[in-house]
């Protein structure tokens, strides 16, 4: 088929198998197990010669369709859907490493990702070497013979810094490391990791892809651009599974055995989420631009941060990697913490909540919440002050969001 635009593609990805009713929406297959016609057919399935669903912890039809759709939309070689963003990250790192190995990671991460690397996986003998990932030289100093991957977030939150992805890709290639990007903030209609040398993308599909905070999910996307012989923990899978070595290892040796499968109901929501993803992102982006102009002109707003604004110093990187749309999260500052609280408490349309990329606009004061467990020194190092708020911009009519902010600033 001719290459089509993002939404057209989303709406026309074929099912893996013919639907007997020709249903236009992928049905919700809620079944634990699937029947075979004969003992011989089951045997053929277990030998890998007859492909069919067996038991839904490993794979199921509705989840499989979500995976196929996301595969088409990321133009990748394969996708595994899991129960949450954290499950996607955990499964990926467990498949790439073993006890005694290390990875290099950005030091400004989603809080639970940081905790996973720092506290959880370290107890199983995986070391994480944190870096701000701004200098190839500094990164290379951290690499040794047991380093397996470089892990980073495309856009950090709430700082909204953009990774130097091409530099990271050069370093990763030179040292046979897998380049893993958490691209949650920059969904597949604005970011194609494979184009910039990212090998594996992990996503919290809970955010944008769920279609508006409908359900928890995660995805692992393999761009098919890493030779899995070069990682000692995937090499033994390459003879039999070739380019699929990594995803097969995830599915057979990590995901299935650790039990983090996506529920079919979730997949149903998220399939719909992909159909309307581009529309929603575009609307949120237009709202961000209008809000940016409004905020810059307002005398009480001290600082507005959104790398999608032409005046932002990170705008050229936003253009290069994300077609100018570096996600749709903004931050801004008032004169004091007390002013932020008064402002937040007056809001009528923007909701006070921690989530991102809902259909609703959500606001939070990071210093007192997401960074509550940090020392003041650590917060300063992460550029978090108590005058700053994070706004995840929704799809409301922008005049109403602006009016809400204007009234709350009075
Ligand atoms: C939310 C988030 C996660 C974790 O995803 P869950 O679906 O909540 O498990 C990971 N990374 C980033 C960047 C996120 O925003």
């Amino acid at each position: 088929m001719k290459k089509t635009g993002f939404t057209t593609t989303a709406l026309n990805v074929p099912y893996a198998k013919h639907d007997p009713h020709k249903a236009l929406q992928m049905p919700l297959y809620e079944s634990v197990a699937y029947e075979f016609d004969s003992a011989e057919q089951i045997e053929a399935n277990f030998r890998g010669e007859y492909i069919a669903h067996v038991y839904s912890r490993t794979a199921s039809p509705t989840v499989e369709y979500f995976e196929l759709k996301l595969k088409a939309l990321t133009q990748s070689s394969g996708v595994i859907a899991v129960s949450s963003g954290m499950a996607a990250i955990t499964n990926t790192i467990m498949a790439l490493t073993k006890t005694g190995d290390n990875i290099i990671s950005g030091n400004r991460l989603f809080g639970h990702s940081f905790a996973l690397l720092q506290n959880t996986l370290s107890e199983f003998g995986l070391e994480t070497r944190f870096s701000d990932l701004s200098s190839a030289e500094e990164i290379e100093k951290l690499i040794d013979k047991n380093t397996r991957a470089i892990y980073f977030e495309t856009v950090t939150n709430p700082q909204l810094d953009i990774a130097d992805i091409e530099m990271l890709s050069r370093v990763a290639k030179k040292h046979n490391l897998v380049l893993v990007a958490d691209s949650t903030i920059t969904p597949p209609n604005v970011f194609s990791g494979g184009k910039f040398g990212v090998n594996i993308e992990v996503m919290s599909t809970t955010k944008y892809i769920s279609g508006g905070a409908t359900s928890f999910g995660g995805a692992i996307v393999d761009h098919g651009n890493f030779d899995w012989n070069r990682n000692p923990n995937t090499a033994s899978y390459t003879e039999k599974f070739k380019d699929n070595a990594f995803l097969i290892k995830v599915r057979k040796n990590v995901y299935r055995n650790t039990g983090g499968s996506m529920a079919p109901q979730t997949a149903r929501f998220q399939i719909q989420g992909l159909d309307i993803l581009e529309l929603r992102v575009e609307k949120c982006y237009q709202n961000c631009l209008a809000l940016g102009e409004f905020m810059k002109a307002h005398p009480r707003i001290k600082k507005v941060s959104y790398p999608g604004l032409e005046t932002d110093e990170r705008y050229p990187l936003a253009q290069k990697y994300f077609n100018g749309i570096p996600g749709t999260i903004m931050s801004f500052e008032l004169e004091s913490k007390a002013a932020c609280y008064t402002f937040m408490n007056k809001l009528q349309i923007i909701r006070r909540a921690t989530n991102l990329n809902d259909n609703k606009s959500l606001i939070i004061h990071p210093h007192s919440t997401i960074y509550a467990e940090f020392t003041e020194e650590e917060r300063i190092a992460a550029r978090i002050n108590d005058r700053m708020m994070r706004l995840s911009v929704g799809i409301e009519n922008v005049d109403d969001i602006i009016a809400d902010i204007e009234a709350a600033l009075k």
Side-chain angles (χ1 to χ4, degrees), residues 84-87 89 110 113 151 153 157 182 184-185 204-207 216-217 356:
S84 69
M86 292 318 303
I89 299 165
F110 176 72
S113 304
Y151 178 83
E153 294 180 3
N157 148 37
D182 178 336
T184 301
I185 306 268
S204 166
T205 63
T206 311
K207 309 292 164 54
F216 267 95
L356 298 173

Side-chain angles (χ1 to χ4, degrees), residues 114-125:
F114 186 78
L116 170 73
L117 298 174
Q118 173 92 336
N119 307 330
T120 313
L121 294 177
S122 61
E123 298 201 353
F124 294 85

